[in-house]
Amino acid sequence: MYQLVYISSVTPGQSLSVDDILTVSRRNNARDAITGLLYADRQRFLQALEGPQEQVLKTMARISADPRHRAIVVLSRRTIAMREFGGWAMASQMHGDDAAMIAQVGRLVAHASPNVRATFESFCKLRRPTGAVAA
């Protein structure tokens, strides 16, 4: 099992619809046995992808070619013994309640490695979320 975590910026002028991203991601991820967590705010994406290495790398190549992303930085790549982001329902934004969103992201990353958990928790505390989704 392989895990890759990246951050990217939203390309100026691109609209960000988490629902649209979810529709395509769920289809592709089910096909490719990919799980993970996507956190998006109005300016950035933070995502952990995990699954078979070849599929994770293909997914990352698709993301890299997506015009909504720019300034992509891979934060970590590693082999994992088991999925850290598996079997979740979607976590959605609680409009007007950032504290609840931060708590929900905390629950979603509870089983992730300490470094990945700290990355997501720090990011969501610094950013005003538009959504976090388990992919």
Side-chain angles (χ1 to χ4, degrees):
M1 193 72 48
Y2 188 73
Q3 184 186 79
L4 184 146
V5 179
Y6 75 90
I7 189 168
S8 68
S9 296
V10 174
T11 301
Q14 291 287 323
S15 63
L16 177 61
S17 168
V18 174
D19 289 336
D20 291 346
I21 292 168
L22 273 177
T23 299
V24 173
S25 294
R26 283 184 175 150
R27 181 192 71 226
N28 291 342
N29 291 350
R31 177 194 67 213
D32 298 337
I34 301 279
T35 57
L37 179 66
L38 169 65
Y39 186 92
D41 66 17
R42 291 169 184 85
Q43 298 173 4
R44 300 204 187 256
F45 296 97
L46 174 62
Q47 186 168 27
L49 300 168
E50 59 189 19
Q53 183 172 355
E54 181 180 348
Q55 299 301 66
V56 169
L57 295 175
K58 284 181 181 179
T59 299
M60 191 63 214
R62 267 194 320 274
I63 291 165
S64 296
D66 187 325
R68 294 174 290 195
H69 295 268
R70 68 180 178 88
I72 296 172
V73 176
V74 174
L75 301 174
S76 68
R77 304 170 198 251
R78 65 190 183 106
T79 300
I80 55 176
M82 56 190 278
R83 293 179 189 271
E84 295 178 350
F85 298 97
W88 295 332
M90 180 179 80
S92 59
Q93 178 184 7
M94 294 78 163
H95 292 284
D97 192 350
D98 290 347
M101 186 63 185
I102 290 168
Q104 189 164 8
V105 168
R107 286 189 297 276
L108 292 172
V109 299
H111 299 292
S113 72
N115 289 341
V116 172
R117 186 171 53 248
T119 298
F120 274 92
E121 288 174 344
S122 298
F123 186 80
C124 78
K125 286 176 185 174
L126 294 172
R127 299 274 173 199
R128 187 167 172 79
T130 59
V133 295

